[in-house]
Amino acid sequence: MTANTDRIARLRATMAEEGVALVALAPGAHMRWLLGVDPHGDERPLLACVTAGHAGFLMPALEAESARQHTDLPFYTWADDEGPQGAFDRLLSDFSAEDAGSIVLDECMRADHAALVQDRLPAARRQFTATTVGALRMRKDREEYARLKRNAGTADTAMQAAWAAMKPGMREVDVAEIARNSFRDQGATPLFSIVGAGGNGAFPHHQTGETVLRAGDVVVMDIGGRLDGYSSDITRMAVIGQAPEGYDEIHAIVDAAVEAALSAARPGAKAHQIDDAARGVITDAGYGDFFVHRTGHGLGLEGHEPPYITATSQTVLDEGMVFSIEPGIYLPGRFGLRLEEIVILRVDGPEILSDLPRDCRVIDG
Amino acid sequence: MTANTDRIARLRATMAEEGVALVALAPGAHMRWLLGVDPHGDERPLLACVTAGHAGFLMPALEAESARQHTDLPFYTWADDEGPQGAFDRLLSDFSAEDAGSIVLDECMRADHAALVQDRLPAARRQFTATTVGALRMRKDREEYARLKRNAGTADTAMQAAWAAMKPGMREVDVAEIARNSFRDQGATPLFSIVGAGGNGAFPHHQTGETVLRAGDVVVMDIGGRLDGYSSDITRMAVIGQAPEGYDEIHAIVDAAVEAALSAARPGAKAHQIDDAARGVITDAGYGDFFVHRTGHGLGLEGHEPPYITATSQTVLDEGMVFSIEPGIYLPGRFGLRLEEIVILRVDGPEILSDLPRDCRVIDG
């Protein structure tokens, strides 16, 4: 990995627009995206710092040699016995950032590392990355799209593998393991495999457990993996044998909510308009109280990242943004039903990354 | 898991001593230790809050049903479309903490979640957990010791499995995979497997890679896994065939440094005295510049946690504390040599958890 100078230049343009003097990033997705470096992060402060004229790292001595293989930017190293303050002071001095009036912190940074920066620059206005790195990361380039598209294919395959093995008597964890193994077989790292049978599906973030699948169960599966650094995420529905009374009607409502959101997703639309569209369909059908979460989230280096598709988001959607559309209806004691597509926004609307239909898969019961 | 009322009471005692009105913890080790809850943590603020009279959670609605299975404490839930501020205000009001003058934040909390607390209580003195939750977690109880002891055995077994398979022609990653598989076979989750052959070993946090092991190579292995929530961590040395010139002398120096640290580790000693003892041996032997890191770190629910055994730490060691003693000498271009024991401090000194001798294992070359 090497620093992407184009991305640094684009970051500096946003910094100039926002009047930001210093951006400080922690090990994680922002640093990986901007600088192509993914160092080990632990309790030792390790920061990537960018100003208009400089870029470099506050670097624990212990990590310097490994990190040096991935970047040519200057390191301000500090050893365990001296602590990070002196090296951070030297960095700020060299970067002429000792009196930075406005800083951007990585929102995922540990609170004590953020305090190291803020305590040194107590007068600085602090914001997170929403209008700088975060804004840039929302728009995916061609290579990122190619990875996300391929990754969506692995999730489709994992979903189908789980369905092919699914039968009454299996536990939720058994089904989840089949999906995880499919991700592994495809060279991906499984990230999550939510399997919710029957009433368990009514908890959107159900902890997949020992519940045994039985004939008549509705099974919601929400799975994702990581490949080449990028995430996948898909939710589909299955029923074992005969679907319970009323299932088909609810499925049709949620599918119509997905379609409404897809229709509303256009460059220039605000994120809340996508949520409005999906929520409107479900509310009009009388199930508004049972759609208990936002309509979607961005996807890329992280499984959840901007843009968030919520009822209140004023984020203006643009070409190249990748996000989920995943309305659901959760009926306590009965079942939960969610359908999730990942889309990339094109000039004329969203392109769905998955090739898997949203129909309910019927499993022999 | 259920809330450990004894631990909450002990936390409140430290809060009273320190004049702390509110402790806010993020999903992770502190929350797990104090409340027996390990909820999914993501971009949605989820906080455990403790005051003298109250304890409860700021809880994303999406996580409430899962988390409810693990705790009876009150939830202040918030939905995606309203955001967390209103629920956090209600929590502070119910807890009479709206004017908290002194707060403790989990140092591992995301910076944006910490900002949610700090922006609401801008006048509050902020500290991290060093003198409250962190101080309590340093002293392990009998059950924690039992888990750490058992876990040390799994690491011993994984180290021996890697040695048994090690031979010239293997890559570092192959050796690491054998150690990881051994952890898995024992029901543990592998956390890290650093394998550094020859000159790679001179980087203490070497990224295990494609380097092929050759006759005459010194191989440093630093591995650990997690079982029942607790971590293991061990470093041992091997040589393939004939050790290089001077190896035995360096090994003896590092081993003597471990022994000196063990002798210095007594209840009442300050952490830096342990570091002083190990560093003194290495410095006296002329290799002080090549011992580039602290002597050790605590171990428990996290792989690195207090107490940190550094050159400057004034932490007073006490019975029940568990930490590593891991001095090393790193000779650029030649090899690195580190020996690591995990110990629990008893009234009369440290008990080593591993049963594996610190001798250099000779592999047929």
Side-chain angles (χ1 to χ4, degrees), chain A residues 95-178:
Chain A
F95 286 22
S96 304
E98 296 150 300
D99 301 308
S102 177
I103 61 174
V104 162
L105 294 181
D106 190 331
E107 58 278 1
C108 296
M109 187 180 293
R110 284 169 58 116
D112 54 350
H113 297 182
L116 173 73
V117 180
Q118 292 186 273
D119 291 352
R120 181 63 188 70
L121 299 166
R125 186 169 62 93
R126 178 263 302 148
Q127 54 184 316
F128 298 110
T129 69
T131 57
T132 54
V133 186
L136 294 170
R137 275 184 54 203
M138 284 196 288
R139 291 172 188 78
K140 271 61 180 178
D141 62 26
R142 194 169 305 187
E143 188 189 337
E144 291 180 293
Y145 164 73
R147 292 183 185 191
L148 286 162
K149 174 69 185 172
R150 182 154 65 105
N151 231 351
T154 67
D156 287 357
T157 299
M159 182 70 72
Q160 290 170 300
W163 284 340
M166 194 183 284
K167 57 186 177 189
M170 290 176 78
R171 299 168 304 167
E172 291 172 346
V173 289
D174 301 325
V175 177
E177 186 60 17
I178 288 163

Side-chain angles (χ1 to χ4, degrees), chain A residues 38-40 42-44 61-63 65-67 69-70 79-82 105-115 118-119 126 128 202-207 279 292-295 297 302 304-305 308 310-312, chain B residues 38-40 42-44 61-63 65-67 69-70 79-82 105-115 118-119 126 128 202-207 279 292-295 297 302 304-305 308 310-312:
Chain A
D38 192 20
H40 172 74
D42 63 11
E43 70 280 4
R44 296 178 177 93
L62 210 55
E63 306 299 336
E65 296 288 355
S66 273
Q69 301 171 35
H70 305 284
D80 287 342
D81 60 354
E82 54 184 346
L105 294 181
D106 190 331
E107 58 278 1
C108 296
M109 187 180 293
R110 284 169 58 116
D112 54 350
H113 297 182
Q118 292 186 273
D119 291 352
R126 178 263 302 148
F128 298 110
F203 306 140
H205 277 192
H206 168 61
Q207 287 189 0
R279 203 168 298 279
V292 293
H293 56 72
R294 63 194 178 200
T295 292
H297 57 80
E302 295 175 287
H304 288 180
E305 61 181 46
Y308 292 102
T310 71
T312 55
Chain B
D38 193 20
H40 170 72
D42 63 13
E43 69 280 4
R44 296 179 177 93
L62 213 55
E63 305 299 336
E65 296 288 354
S66 274
Q69 300 172 35
H70 304 285
D80 286 342
D81 59 354
E82 56 184 346
L105 295 181
D106 189 332
E107 58 276 3
C108 296
M109 189 181 292
R110 285 169 58 116
D112 54 349
H113 298 182
Q118 292 186 274
D119 291 352
R126 179 264 303 148
F128 297 112
F203 306 138
H205 276 190
H206 169 61
Q207 287 189 1
R279 202 168 300 278
V292 294
H293 56 73
R294 64 193 177 200
T295 291
H297 57 79
E302 294 176 288
H304 288 180
E305 60 180 46
Y308 292 102
T310 72
T312 54

